[in-house]
Amino acid sequence: MVFLCSAAAVTSFGQGTTASLLPPNIEIVKLKWERQVRLPRNFDPTVIPANGTFSDPSSRSSSNPAGSGNSDPIITFPRIPSRLPVLYVYSLRIKNAGPKAIEGIAWDYLFIDPNLNVELGRHQFLSYTAVPSNKSVKLQGQLRSPPTRVVRTSDSGRNTEPKFTERGVIECVLYADDTVWKNPRAREGLCEFLKSERDIVKRKHGAVKP
């Protein structure tokens, strides 16, 4: 997948996390989100003619005289759609300082109004990746949803960009020994769903093995 641009990136280092709600021996190291505009799959900007120029098919006569000597192929870029898809990529880097390896994590990326302490946006993800003891990994999820859908009022001043407090929340941890840790505030049934989806992922990966 080719990325056209990346913008509006925001980074936060462990910002707004509550130690009492974190799993034992797991540390949130970094939060980040970014807006990405992606090119179509069939668009390849590396296709360049050897002579360094492009031929315009619209200027080519349909009755090109034989023997003109112009044997250069016509090379054009694939047509880019008028509206490119926009995705928002949310990432959370954690460190497993505990003795047990991790297989899966349910985590949320929150945006908080720092003045009113009101939740403006919450994005929920499941990540399945091996996190050995004393190792760090980056969890990542992508959505079409922006961080928040804030409606600015007339007294918002001259600030054009809303200010957020970002918070990473770990809701459930699935360890390699099949035990789980659950956030006391986690949604009912989330850890069971995390475990059942892990089993589905394992079956799918096993099905493609020779």
Side-chain angles (χ1 to χ4, degrees):
M1 183 67 70
V2 181
F3 296 118
L4 176 61
C5 66
S6 176
V10 179
T11 305
S12 172
F13 295 87
Q15 185 179 23
T17 55
T18 305
S20 61
L21 297 180
L22 286 178
N25 303 313
I26 293 183
E27 176 187 357
I28 293 180
V29 180
K30 184 178 180 181
L31 295 168
K32 182 180 179 181
W33 69 272
E34 60 183 353
R35 178 179 181 271
Q36 295 180 350
V37 181
R38 300 193 175 185
L39 288 169
R41 292 180 181 272
N42 67 337
F43 184 84
D44 186 3
T46 63
V47 180
I48 301 176
N51 59 7
T53 61
F54 291 89
S55 300
D56 183 2
S58 62
S59 64
R60 185 188 184 193
S61 172
S62 60
S63 58
N64 189 26
S68 60
N70 183 13
S71 60
D72 291 340
I74 297 176
I75 301 178
T76 58
F77 285 117
R79 179 176 296 179
I80 303 177
S82 58
R83 296 184 63 182
L84 294 174
V86 176
L87 291 176
Y88 295 86
V89 180
Y90 303 88
S91 60
L92 178 74
R93 178 169 288 277
I94 65 166
K95 180 179 180 181
N96 180 14
K100 298 196 297 184
I102 296 172
E103 281 196 348
I105 296 180
W107 56 283
D108 295 352
Y109 201 124
L110 276 63
F111 295 87
I112 310 295
D113 186 317
N115 298 319
L116 302 176
N117 196 29
V118 175
E119 184 179 304
L120 301 176
R122 176 186 292 261
H123 306 279
Q124 303 166 350
F125 304 97
L126 300 181
S127 295
Y128 297 96
T129 181
V131 190
S133 178
N134 296 317
K135 296 294 183 179
S136 298
V137 299
K138 181 172 74 172
L139 311 177
Q140 194 172 82
Q142 61 184 31
L143 297 171
R144 294 293 181 93
S145 307
T148 67
R149 297 188 181 276
V150 179
V151 178
R152 303 189 62 84
T153 60
S154 58
D155 59 353
S156 300
R158 296 184 178 180
N159 294 330
T160 57
E161 294 293 335
K163 302 299 182 181
F164 310 127
T165 295
E166 298 169 56
R167 181 177 300 169
V169 178
I170 297 177
E171 301 286 6
C172 186
V173 179
L174 175 60
Y175 293 99
D177 62 1
D178 228 30
T179 60
V180 298
W181 174 90
K182 181 181 179 182
N183 188 322
R185 301 180 183 176
R187 300 174 294 282
E188 188 68 28
L190 179 60
C191 290
E192 291 78 7
F193 183 71
L194 177 67
K195 183 181 289 189
S196 64
E197 287 295 303
R198 185 275 313 267
D199 296 337
I200 293 175
V201 170
K202 280 188 172 182
R203 286 198 297 268
K204 286 182 178 179
H205 287 175
V208 298
K209 291 181 180 180

